Amino acid sequence: LAVTLGAQALPAFAISKVTVPTYAALSNLIPVSGVLCGLLFLGERLAPLQWLACAVVLGAVIAGQRADSIEKI
């Protein structure tokens, strides 16, 4: 129950601290962080395609944030 409440409360808190587009972009990192936690804490191994997928997601989030910051200038 506590995990479910935390999973609902944390995004609500976070969205009050950042803009909606920033939150939307960063929410794409949730699966990547789950994969990395499995790697670090559970000893899971990633296939090359999974590493590539993580890199693509990270690259897309970084590119989106850079485009957003350039647009504001």
Side-chain angles (χ1 to χ4, degrees):
L1 181 63
V3 172
T4 302
L5 291 175
Q8 295 297 319
L10 247 52
F13 175 76
I15 205 164
S16 70
K17 302 296 179 192
V18 298
T19 64
V20 173
T22 299
Y23 177 78
L26 294 177
S27 68
N28 289 313
L29 295 175
I30 293 171
V32 174
S33 65
V35 167
L36 294 178
C37 283
L39 177 79
L40 294 173
F41 301 117
L42 301 176
E44 294 183 5
R45 302 259 183 226
L46 298 182
L49 190 58
Q50 292 171 309
W51 282 112
L52 178 63
C54 288
V56 168
V57 171
L58 287 172
V61 168
I62 291 169
Q65 291 299 299
R66 290 183 123 190
D68 188 39
S69 66
I70 290 171
E71 193 175 287
K72 290 180 184 177
I73 293 177

